[in-house]
Amino acid sequence: MEELIQMIRRGDRAALARAISLVEDGAPGSRELVRAAYRTPRNSRVIGITGAPGVGKSSLVDGIVDQLRSAGRSVAVIAVDPSSPFTGGAILGDRVRMKRRTTDPQVFFRSLASRGHLGGLTRATGDVLTLVGVAGFDDVLVETVGAGQSEVDVMKYASTVLVVLTPGLGDSVQTLKAGILEIGDVFVVNKADLPGADRTGAELEMMLDMRPQGGWRPPVIKTVATSGVGLDELARAIDAHYEYLKSSGNLKTRVRNRFLASIEDYLKREMVDKVLKAASTSGELERCLAALEAGEDDPASVASRLAARYLTAGPCSPLVRSEG
Amino acid sequence: MERKIRVLVGKPGLDGHDRGAMVVARAYRDAGMEVIYSGLHRTPEELARMAVEEDVDVVALSILSGAHMTLVPKVIEHLKKEKGGVLDVLVLVGGVIPREDIPALKAAGVAEVFGPGTSTEEIVEYTRTHVREKRAS
Ligand code: B12
Ligand SMILES: Nc1nc2c(ncn2[C@@H]2O[C@H](COP(=O)(O)OP(=O)(O)OP(=O)(O)O)[C@@H](O)[C@H]2O)c(=O)[nH]1
Ligand SMILES: [Mg+2]
């Protein structure tokens, strides 16, 4: 695994691709791989792109990649699309919009399926970003699933979050409801060639002005991703936000939050596994389920009791065994 | 967790017929595979890059333009170049391919060719079995 990390560091595209799959699949050795990756210097700027289905996220990615490359920066793209909840399969179509830098050696593009994870990203996102960081890309663009409402996970991983909207009143009202206004560092009104862009932009500006002032005031930028209009301005806004993060000290906070989010993910998995395993070995889970069926208990009480009982004791501790 | 089968459904060259590619992509998805769709008008070099970056098991090319004899060998050539000389993915071709061209395509490295009217069950079954074989070797 150490060797694979070295290959990734040397810029071996196939090695990076393979490593991402290993981590995604939770294959044997992937833990070791991630462990080594975290101990390797990384310095990428992570830019998240989120918004409802079809607003033009992938088309913008294509344009932003082009802008960043023109500025001499190397770029990796991680694009997430949903898995089918019925079959576990997926059609990943974000690549379709990549038109400009398709064979540039300083660009890497990888599509990921959400594999049942909610929140707009996949469970492996944090680890995948770390691997991409090891490869030394200056920038990593992360495109979320176009769910429109729940993909707030991106703010845990990105230092700059772009929220993409399109002209039309319905859109912006929805956005307000979903609380997406809070996560954006830069707002993009894409498809500005369609009628209503000025109005949507003005509405957004108004809503942003109503937010508590101080710190960073997110700019609203109108773009036409398909023709390139506004992309240079968007690239400047991304740079400006990054500069703000650095000078205000918030960058450190965001990086820390990213680590915290990863710890949280792992912790949840470990604790849930531990409690459920112990409670099922001891037979207590079965008794709780029976009580629930009989209408004599409630899930929240069961969870608190199981947590209190099994989170301190290991699965093979005398306490658990005596229960069995 | 079992390793997911990943498939690149690719449309090389100047060929706007995308129905077959969509049918095949959906069949693979419904069989639980992860499908990366290339979009139209891709060059062999672009497709090879995608195959590497997406770490796919299968490169599934759909060609109805009649240009398969030039495009397919080029895709395979680029795939080998990207992978240090070896062809470690399953290359499948479908669409409008005259029967007499099939031996030459296979000689170039194509595992199988599927013409109009092939059932998607057959395509999925073939793919699944041969990916397993390829992974085992
Ligand atoms: C529908 C159609 C069109 C539609 C396409 C709509 C679309 N978005 O796809 C339209 C009207 C736009 C069109 C246009 C043209 N067409 Co047209 N078209 C057809 C037609 C009648 C059916 C194709 C189709 O969609 N079939 C349904 C799908 C589901 O079947 P399929 O693609 O064959 O896929 C199946 C299998 O082949 C296989 N498969 C396919 N791909 C893959 C990939 C893999 C990896 C695997 C495993 C399997 C697999 O699985 C599928 C399921 O069984 C065919 C004739 C025919 N019978 O094939 C001509 C045909 C393909 N067209 C032809 C031509 C010439 C044209 C035009 C050039 C006509 C013109 N002069 O303008 C244009 C070019 C358009 C372009 N930009 O490329 C010729 C091609 C000749 C050749 N190859 O030598 C054909 C063969 C007609 C003919 N007999 O002359 N066409
Ligand atoms: N008119 C217009 N169309 C655009 C613009 N940007 C993108 N589109 C089109 O909008 C459609 C969706 O674009 P994508 O980039 O795939 O959108 P997306 O947000 O990535 O979509 P999902 O990933 O499926 O959620 C495509 O047909 C694009 O060509 C734009 O600025 N103006
Ligand atoms: Mg997209």
Side-chain angles (χ1 to χ4, degrees), chain B residues 12-13 42-49 59 61 63 67-82 87 91 105 108-110:
Chain B
R42 293 305 186 179
T43 66
E45 193 186 358
E46 287 177 327
L47 291 169
R49 269 286 288 269
V59 174
L61 303 172
I63 308 175
H68 48 276
M69 293 309 279
T70 46
L71 289 169
V72 173
K74 275 196 192 135
V75 172
I76 292 175
E77 187 189 310
H78 280 286
L79 277 171
K80 284 186 181 161
K81 208 164 91 191
E82 293 263 4
L87 185 64
V91 179
L105 290 176
V110 172

Side-chain angles (χ1 to χ4, degrees), chain B residues 7-11 13-25 28 40-41 58-68 91-98 112-120 122-124 126-127:
Chain B
V7 185
L8 172 67
V9 170
K11 284 289 307 173
L14 292 172
D15 177 7
H17 297 92
D18 60 359
R19 279 194 207 159
M22 290 330 262
V23 167
V24 170
Y28 281 141
L40 293 175
H41 309 317
V58 185
V59 174
L61 303 172
S62 180
I63 308 175
L64 288 82
S65 64
H68 48 276
V91 179
L92 305 178
V93 177
V96 177
I97 313 288
E112 197 49 83
V113 178
F114 300 86
T118 319
S119 79
T120 52
E122 187 186 334
I123 294 169
V124 166
Y126 179 93
T127 306

Side-chain angles (χ1 to χ4, degrees), chain A residues 10-323:
Chain A
R10 283 198 301 271
D12 187 325
R13 192 173 294 280
L16 175 58
R18 196 76 269 281
I20 292 175
S21 302
L22 291 173
V23 165
E24 264 200 294
D25 291 342
S30 61
R31 267 301 255 282
E32 197 191 317
L33 181 68
V34 171
R35 213 172 309 162
Y38 270 95
R39 286 163 175 76
T40 308
R42 288 158 287 122
N43 232 332
S44 308
R45 183 169 76 162
V46 180
I47 302 157
I49 301 168
T50 192
V55 291
K57 297 180 292 298
S58 301
S59 309
L60 280 166
V61 163
D62 183 45
I64 297 169
V65 166
D66 186 52
Q67 290 287 327
L68 294 170
R69 286 297 300 130
S70 302
R73 301 177 65 89
S74 58
V75 198
V77 180
I78 302 296
V80 187
D81 267 334
S83 297
S84 155
F86 305 107
T87 66
I91 295 181
L92 311 174
D94 292 322
R95 276 202 104 109
V96 173
R97 312 287 171 217
M98 284 301 285
K99 302 260 166 71
R100 281 171 260 219
R101 302 277 182 167
T102 49
T103 52
D104 186 327
Q106 297 296 312
V107 175
F108 179 90
F109 191 114
R110 176 61 176 251
S111 317
L112 299 179
S114 65
R115 298 195 178 176
H117 189 82
L118 300 173
L121 297 174
T122 105
R123 206 177 73 172
T125 304
D127 294 339
V128 169
L129 287 176
T130 306
L131 287 172
V132 171
V134 167
F137 288 99
D138 296 321
D139 291 313
V140 186
L141 304 182
V142 183
E143 178 186 340
T144 74
V145 168
Q149 310 226 325
S150 61
E151 66 278 21
V152 290
D153 259 13
V154 68
M155 64 181 296
K156 293 191 202 158
Y157 296 105
S159 43
T160 300
V161 175
L162 312 186
V163 171
V164 187
L165 299 115
T166 48
L169 185 73
D171 251 339
S172 43
V173 171
Q174 274 301 107
T175 304
L176 191 65
K177 267 194 222 154
I180 235 179
L181 209 59
E182 279 69 40
I183 72 167
D185 299 306
V186 175
F187 287 84
V188 184
V189 179
N190 188 43
K191 307 198 186 183
D193 52 324
L194 302 182
D198 287 334
R199 184 158 158 205
T200 302
E203 272 176 11
L204 256 175
E205 297 276 11
M206 213 171 68
M207 289 180 201
L208 290 167
D209 282 335
M210 291 188 315
R211 298 199 330 179
Q213 295 297 312
W216 172 260
R217 161 61 159 80
V220 177
I221 293 164
K222 292 190 207 100
T223 59
V224 183
T226 38
S227 75
V229 171
L231 291 174
D232 47 348
E233 197 190 338
L234 179 55
R236 280 198 299 275
I238 293 170
D239 286 344
H241 182 251
Y242 199 69
E243 285 310 314
Y244 159 77
L245 286 178
K246 277 200 291 194
S247 61
S248 64
N250 284 341
L251 185 59
K252 228 174 152 172
T253 319
R254 297 229 175 174
V255 173
R256 287 193 78 147
N257 284 347
R258 202 173 116 188
F259 288 139
L260 192 61
S262 287
I263 296 175
E264 225 179 277
D265 275 357
Y266 277 108
L267 206 55
K268 274 187 207 151
R269 264 181 267 166
E270 294 227 349
M271 295 200 304
V272 168
D273 279 0
K274 185 174 169 180
V275 172
L276 286 181
K277 228 183 249 161
S280 102
T281 329
S282 72
E284 177 143 4
L285 187 61
E286 204 35 59
R287 286 195 291 279
C288 292
L289 287 171
L292 275 166
E293 280 160 5
E296 292 161 0
D297 211 335
D298 64 278
S301 307
V302 169
S304 314
R305 228 170 38 244
L306 292 182
R309 172 156 230 160
Y310 296 111
L311 273 183
T312 45
C316 292
S317 72
L319 172 74
V320 174
R321 236 184 268 144
S322 68
E323 290 281 323

